[in-house]
Amino acid sequence: MSSDKTAAPKQAPAFPPYVFGTDWMKSMSDTPMQLCDEMLSFTAKRLRAQADHMQSLAKCRNPSELLERQAAFFRGAMEDYATEATKSAKLMQDATQLPPQA
């Protein structure tokens, strides 16, 4: 009985780097980090806006002023969320674009 331990043969990648290049690997590693950074920045922005909004509501003198401030806050939130969705979609779209072929 032989105690020779031979290493398993290495498998060739499904698509060698020369077929598509290696730029796609960079986008696959950078995109999650960019998305995470974008989401955390957006969350911080919205939390600051909410804290400011609560302080603003505390200064209201009548119900109509309160409703005006609430409506403005929600309009701003919807605009921010729409902008953020566009930014996130663009990041994902950019990550899936193949580099131009030379």
Side-chain angles (χ1 to χ4, degrees):
M1 294 201 163
S2 172
S3 62
D4 267 320
K5 293 185 179 181
T6 58
K10 291 184 178 180
Q11 284 186 309
F15 295 103
Y18 58 81
V19 174
F20 293 113
T22 57
D23 291 340
W24 67 272
M25 288 187 275
K26 182 168 174 31
S27 71
M28 293 301 286
S29 64
D30 288 352
T31 301
M33 295 301 290
Q34 290 172 337
L35 280 169
C36 184
D37 183 53
E38 186 61 40
M39 286 189 289
L40 289 173
S41 296
F42 176 71
T43 301
K45 177 183 175 180
R46 290 305 315 150
L47 287 172
R48 279 191 301 274
Q50 189 160 353
D52 293 344
H53 176 59
M54 292 296 135
Q55 286 180 337
S56 171
L57 291 181
K59 297 174 185 173
C60 289
R61 299 200 189 281
N62 57 54
S64 64
E65 188 178 354
L66 181 121
L67 289 174
E68 287 172 21
R69 289 182 187 195
Q70 281 282 68
F73 174 76
F74 285 119
R75 273 193 305 275
M78 292 301 108
E79 289 171 9
D80 286 351
Y81 276 97
T83 301
E84 186 61 25
T86 302
K87 283 182 187 179
S88 296
K90 176 89 169 94
L91 280 171
M92 292 301 292
Q93 181 182 23
D94 290 349
T96 59
Q97 298 299 313
L98 289 175
Q101 298 294 322

